[in-house]
Amino acid sequence: MLCLRLGNVVSMTTMPDGPLSEEPEARPTTAAEAVLQEAGSVLEQADPASLLSMNVLDSPRRALFVHAHPDDETINNGATMAQCVDRGVHVTLVTCTLGEEGEVLVPELAHLAADQDDALGQQRINELATAMEALGVRDHRFLGGPGRFRDSGMMGLDSNDRPGCFWQADVDVAADLLVEVIREVRPQVVVTYDENGGYGHPDHIQAHRVTMRAVERAADPSVGSGEPWEVAKVYWNTLPESWIREGLRRLREAGDTTAFEGMDPDGELPMATADELVTTAVDATDHVDAKMAAMRAHSTQIALDGPFFALSNNLGNAVWGIEHYRLVKGTTAGDRDANGRETDLFAGVD
């Protein structure tokens, strides 16, 4: 892995190591090695031409995904990102924190938690690198460099008030760090959270604020240095209400009464988006294996016996293959699915 410092952002760019050996692959001896081997097999199926280009602007299509913590990108957009890479899109991921306040689901790594050794950040850097291998993403960065902004923890916790946490960051200061990335990468498409951050996490809300402000400021020639760039299309991640209710209903019918905190399929769903607001559905079911490998890479955060895998175990991995979005800047275009939704984030982009 090659780490490049680009202005105030660290880029972790993974490069091919040369021709594959003709010798048979060694059997993995640990869970981490198994994930890396699975990631390698996914990458072998990708278009080699899309993996070798190191110049961002050599790619005619470029997408920027902005997320709060390592693992958010895979859960929300993993299949879309893998599909984009396979189609030759230059995908850039910017992660705003290291996720230091996250729960540790691996017992032998429990000491890394914030209330013990407070060393979870480095572990999650490693997990993110492995997940990006699985998705084929070569350009992943931390806003301002690793550790510039600390994970704020769940809403209402004392960690929300900690100096240096992302929730306490000045929006314009953080946005201008992202402006640098936007002007460098010049993405036609930007993807982030809605104004509630999906489910109310302070870092997700702040990532939304910072991204929307950065898109605005990147186009303003009076802001900073570098050539201004107007992003053509901005999307927010969404989970359609009908999709969540159907998934929960089928889980409960299969006998799973605890996954996703036992939420009632007919009750209130704070993370759901009204179906009529969902503009776009990307069918990337051909890339579900890459997404599932990336989810497994985030081992401290996503348990193999947890709700995400419970959903796929009961409904099949394809449940993760269609990812939904709400277009908030730009115009929908191109082919529509059976629900009248746009099917390509780049539809209508010249």
Side-chain angles (χ1 to χ4, degrees), residues 64 175 178-179 182 190 210-220 229-231 234 329:
L64 170 64
L178 191 57
V179 166
I182 292 173
V190 169
V210 167
T211 303
M212 299 307 292
R213 185 71 170 133
V215 168
E216 175 187 342
R217 290 172 69 80
D220 184 346
W229 179 254
E230 181 81 34
V231 175
V234 176
K329 183 180 188 295

Side-chain angles (χ1 to χ4, degrees), residues 252-274:
R252 303 301 177 244
E253 290 172 353
D256 186 331
T257 60
T258 60
F260 296 101
E261 299 179 347
M263 285 190 295
D264 182 354
D266 299 312
E268 184 178 355
L269 300 174
M271 78 292 292
T273 299

Side-chain angles (χ1 to χ4, degrees), residues 176 179-180 183-184 217-218 220-228:
D176 284 351
V179 166
E180 293 183 19
R183 289 180 173 176
E184 175 206 338
R217 290 172 69 80
D220 184 346
S222 70
V223 173
S225 60
E227 186 177 350

Side-chain angles (χ1 to χ4, degrees), residues 81-92:
M81 293 170 74
Q83 183 186 78
C84 283
V85 170
D86 193 46
R87 292 180 175 179
V89 175
H90 183 97
V91 173
T92 300

